[in-house]
Structure formats: C-alpha cells, structure tokens
Amino acid sequence: MTSTCTATHGFATLTPTIAGAPVTVPTAPNSVSGLPGGARVVINEQSAVLDAGFGTTVNAAHLVVPSLLRAPRRTW
C-alpha cells in the first residue's frame, strides 16, 4: 500500500487479496464489505476531525472484528 498526503488532498492505492483472489476495491467513501464471522472492512473511511473547524481523517482500510467476549448472561 502506498499513500501520499499534501494539505487536505491525498490518495492511497490498495491491491488486496483474500485467499489469493484479488478483491475489487470500491472508490466511494465509507464503502463497507462484509466478511465471514460478522467482521467487516470499511474502504476509504472518511470522518470529520473532532473539535476542529475543518479537517478530515481518512483511513484507507479499517477492519472491524466483533468481540469474542460477551457480557455474562443475567438471570433474574
């Protein structure tokens, strides 16, 4: 993966594969693809910078995996 950022402009190039097969990467911001086990990957994740007058945080790829720990079941 390569990335470049100058001021508020930038780009990233991804060439991901899953099990050796190439995966098409969407270009739209905040594109979500589901994965086995309830996981998901967010491509080109963009969000406003908190507590700033302007700015954007950009993540090329954000892998979200559900927790394996669960809250204990309550019985009343």
Side-chain angles (χ1 to χ4, degrees):
M1 173 177 18
T2 60
S3 65
T4 302
C5 187
T6 304
T8 60
H9 303 283
F11 70 90
T13 303
L14 298 174
T15 310
T17 60
I18 295 177
V23 177
T24 301
V25 178
T27 58
N30 301 315
S31 297
V32 179
S33 295
L35 299 173
R40 67 185 189 276
V41 63
V42 183
I43 303 295
N44 193 13
E45 181 181 56
Q46 299 181 16
S47 59
V49 175
L50 299 178
D51 298 325
F54 60 91
T56 302
T57 297
V58 178
N59 294 310
H62 179 184
L63 178 62
V64 181
V65 179
S67 174
L68 298 176
L69 301 175
R70 296 185 180 191
R73 181 176 280 180
R74 296 182 185 200
T75 55
W76 303 99

